[in-house]
Each structure stands twice: as C-alpha cells, then as structure tokens.
Amino acid sequence: MIEKLQQRVNNDAGLVRRGRYLSTTFLLEVGRTSWLITIFEGRIVSVTSGPFVMPSSSFALRASEDDWSKFWSERPPPGSNDLLALVKRRALKAEGNLQIFMAHLRYFKEALGKLREGAGA
Amino acid sequence: MSVKFEPITGRYMHLDLFGRPHRVYVEEAGEGTPLLCLHTAGSDGRQYRGLMNDARVTSRHRVIAFDMPWHGKSSPPAGWHDEEYQLTSAQYTTMVLEISAALRLDRPILIGCSIGGRIALHLALEHPERFRAIIGLQAGAHVDPYYDLNFLHRPDVHGGEVSGAIVSGLVGPDAPAKERWETLWHYMQGGPGVFKGDLFFYKLDGDIRGRVAQIDTRRCPLFLLSGEYDYSCTPEETLAVAQSIPGCEVTIMKGLGHFPMSEDPQVFLTYLLPVLEKIGRS
C-alpha cells in the first residue's frame, strides 16, 4: 500500500510544485514495518521497504499499524484526522531533523494523506 | 457591472493599552445588544465575517470584532522591532476590558474562541459584572504544548506556511473548502512570532485549571461550545471544564473543528443562534 505513495504524489502537480525545494529521505514506520521514502525536488523517487541494516534518513515518523490505519481511513475519527492529531495523542513519534518536516509540513500532511482510502490515484 | 458591499464597517481606534499608545482595528455590523468577538491565536477578526454577514444575528446584535495588537490590521506598538511578543493573561484581560469600555459597550455578550475562549473563562471568573453572558468556543482550562513552539518563529521555517500547516488539521472534515482555506489564509498572514507569542498565553501563562471551578454562573451565564474534531482543545477538555462549573451549559458541535465561526459559519450558526436567543430572553 505504501508503494502507492510515489504515483499518487507525483500525479499531483500542485503538491509537487509546492515541494520543489524539498529533497530528502525520511523513514516511515507502520508498526514493525519500515519504509525509506526518498523525495527529490517534490517528486518521490523511491519507496523502499525494510528491514534495513543501517537506514539513513533525515527524520522518522513512527506509529502503530492501528493508528496509521485510522489516519488512512476514508473518514478518520477525531484524534486521528491529522499527523499533529496523532502527535498530540502521543500516537505518532516524529524524530530526527524535524526542521525539514516542519518547513514542509503542508507537503508531508498532504503527501501522507494520499494513502487515505478513496484518495484515488 | 454590479458589485455588492458587505454590511461590515471598519475603523481604527487609538487608545492606550498597558501604558503605551496603540492603533487597533475594529469592525462591526448590526444593531442591538453588543456582541464582542475575540479571535483565535495568530489570526484576526475576519474569523467573525459569517456572524457579521448574517441578518439573523445582526438584526438583534451589534457584532464587534477587534484585531488584537500585532494581529490583522492592528499595529504592534512603537518599539516592537526590539521586543519579543508574548501575550499574558493580565494584558489580555486589560485589552478586552479597555476596548469594551472605549467603545462604551454596556455589558456586552462576549464570545471568544481558543485563546479567546480561555480568556473568556478568566473574565467569567474575575469580571462577570462586565458582561451580559459569556460564550466560550473551544474553551479549555489548559493545553499542554504538543509540538516545539520554536518552529513557529525561526528563519529557516517560513512562519506563515508553518502556522497554516500546523492548524490545518484543526478544521473539521466537512468545512466548505472556501471557508477552510480562508481560515488558513489568515494564519498564513500572521506577523513573525505572533502566533507563538499568543501561545505563550494559551499553553503557559493562561492556565486556569486551579480556579475554573470558582466561576459563578449566577453572576454571568456561561455557555461553552466546542467542535468535535478539535484536538487542541478536545471535547473532553471542554466537558471537564463544564462539569466543574455549576450552571454552565455545554454543547459539542458535530463535525466542527477548532474554528467553528470561520471554518463553517452556516453550521456554527445552528448552534449559536439558540444560545443568543436564550441570552436574549433572560
């Protein structure tokens, strides 16, 4: 499912344009499964699944499978409808160089929202 | 070409606040019982455009919203360029009372959202005689910081972009896109460090947990309305405040978020109008 991120983000011209100054690799953890997602100038160039021996990333977003599935449901319940809602409930851990995450917060919220049910391709 | 003007008029008021001259922008519409409106942190009085444009409200109320100093079209005081803006409970209280007095409002109804909802609780406790009734939107007694507030004001993160992005998820899921993005635009327009300075009050200085139960609703009726999708001031936090204050009326607004009057004015009015009607009858 996470692999769909690449096509869905890259197909959204507005999102790619807003991310044109963003080039980084971040780690996404869904429970015990992890992915390294590499972005170059707003386009996702690779989504690689773990496990990794020495994953290198600018920052990591970690939450349980249950919390991500609520976030990615078609109509997320209160408390699961936004990355910061998850952070507020201490359900999502954001760790690492968060300057990149915060400077491009709208991009990351909208990119990860692309995995929501019904978000389409 | 036909154009339409809204019934809102704006003026700049000059008054002294905290011993310094200030230039404060005040908007109003309607006639009747004064309804003084307080905007959220990092935004401005435009959040109340829905109320000011609705005849069901303005036929019986003089709706007034001012932009706090540093916000919207109000200026920061002279000397601001060498200061760090931080809102305190004492300043906020003084500001509301002084502006209300300067406008010669006779015991207005007060409505405030978020930080405005918090100061509404302070005013209900400390100055109930000054208001006919108090309506707190998204009003909680305290909010713990849940992100590093320093990201709101540093040169390598765009302040407007990050402020809009931080609060975007606080808008309820059913808000019309036009009103959602208008609400976020106000955040994106905030001056450097202003949202952060307001949150000093919201998350640190304005904690009223220890005193909120002392509010006496016999001296001033208190109504709390909170949106279901607000994770900053959650429904649970509003309900906890309401349960600790005898006589306080509370409603959780389905589908709405942290900015009810701005994100979805039409739905919000279905909750607000019965409250205004009840206040009008008493």
Side-chain angles (χ1 to χ4, degrees), chain B residues 81 86 173 176 218 238 253 281:
Chain B
H81 54 281
Q86 278 193 331
R218 291 167 301 184
T238 293
M253 301 180 285
R281 282 199 305 268

Short mmCIF file of all heavy atoms in Angstrom, two decimals, chain B residues 81 86 173 176 218 238 253 281:
data_model
loop_
_atom_site.label_atom_id
_atom_site.label_comp_id
_atom_site.label_asym_id
_atom_site.label_seq_id
_atom_site.Cartn_x
_atom_site.Cartn_y
_atom_site.Cartn_z
N HIS B 81 10.00 46.45 17.22
CA HIS B 81 11.07 45.79 16.46
C HIS B 81 12.22 45.32 17.35
O HIS B 81 13.07 44.56 16.90
CB HIS B 81 11.60 46.75 15.39
CG HIS B 81 12.03 48.07 15.94
ND1 HIS B 81 11.12 49.07 16.26
CD2 HIS B 81 13.24 48.56 16.25
CE1 HIS B 81 11.77 50.12 16.74
NE2 HIS B 81 13.06 49.83 16.74
N GLN B 86 4.88 38.52 23.61
CA GLN B 86 4.34 37.43 24.43
C GLN B 86 3.06 37.92 25.10
O GLN B 86 3.08 38.88 25.87
CB GLN B 86 5.34 37.02 25.52
CG GLN B 86 6.41 36.06 25.03
CD GLN B 86 7.18 35.44 26.19
OE1 GLN B 86 7.32 36.04 27.24
NE2 GLN B 86 7.69 34.25 25.96
N PRO B 173 -13.74 18.07 9.21
CA PRO B 173 -13.69 17.43 7.89
C PRO B 173 -14.75 17.91 6.90
O PRO B 173 -14.57 17.77 5.70
CB PRO B 173 -13.90 15.94 8.21
CG PRO B 173 -14.62 15.94 9.52
CD PRO B 173 -14.13 17.14 10.26
N PRO B 176 -16.62 23.73 4.31
CA PRO B 176 -16.52 24.04 2.88
C PRO B 176 -15.10 24.51 2.55
O PRO B 176 -14.48 25.22 3.34
CB PRO B 176 -17.52 25.21 2.70
CG PRO B 176 -18.37 25.21 3.93
CD PRO B 176 -17.57 24.58 5.03
N ARG B 218 -24.21 32.39 38.24
CA ARG B 218 -25.35 33.23 38.65
C ARG B 218 -25.01 34.70 38.43
O ARG B 218 -25.89 35.53 38.25
CB ARG B 218 -25.69 32.99 40.14
CG ARG B 218 -26.28 31.61 40.41
CD ARG B 218 -26.30 31.32 41.89
NE ARG B 218 -24.95 31.37 42.46
CZ ARG B 218 -24.65 31.08 43.71
NH1 ARG B 218 -25.59 30.73 44.56
NH2 ARG B 218 -23.41 31.16 44.14
N THR B 238 -13.26 20.42 27.20
CA THR B 238 -14.36 21.37 27.40
C THR B 238 -15.40 20.78 28.36
O THR B 238 -15.89 21.47 29.26
CB THR B 238 -15.04 21.70 26.05
OG1 THR B 238 -14.11 22.44 25.25
CG2 THR B 238 -16.29 22.55 26.24
N MET B 253 -20.17 20.34 19.19
CA MET B 253 -20.70 20.58 17.84
C MET B 253 -20.17 19.52 16.87
O MET B 253 -18.97 19.47 16.58
CB MET B 253 -20.31 22.00 17.39
CG MET B 253 -20.84 23.08 18.33
SD MET B 253 -20.39 24.76 17.82
CE MET B 253 -18.65 24.80 18.28
N ARG B 281 -33.61 36.22 25.96
CA ARG B 281 -34.82 36.05 26.77
C ARG B 281 -34.58 36.34 28.24
O ARG B 281 -35.49 36.66 28.98
CB ARG B 281 -35.35 34.62 26.63
CG ARG B 281 -36.10 34.36 25.34
CD ARG B 281 -36.99 33.11 25.48
NE ARG B 281 -36.23 31.94 25.90
CZ ARG B 281 -35.69 31.07 25.05
NH1 ARG B 281 -35.81 31.24 23.76
NH2 ARG B 281 -35.02 30.02 25.50
#
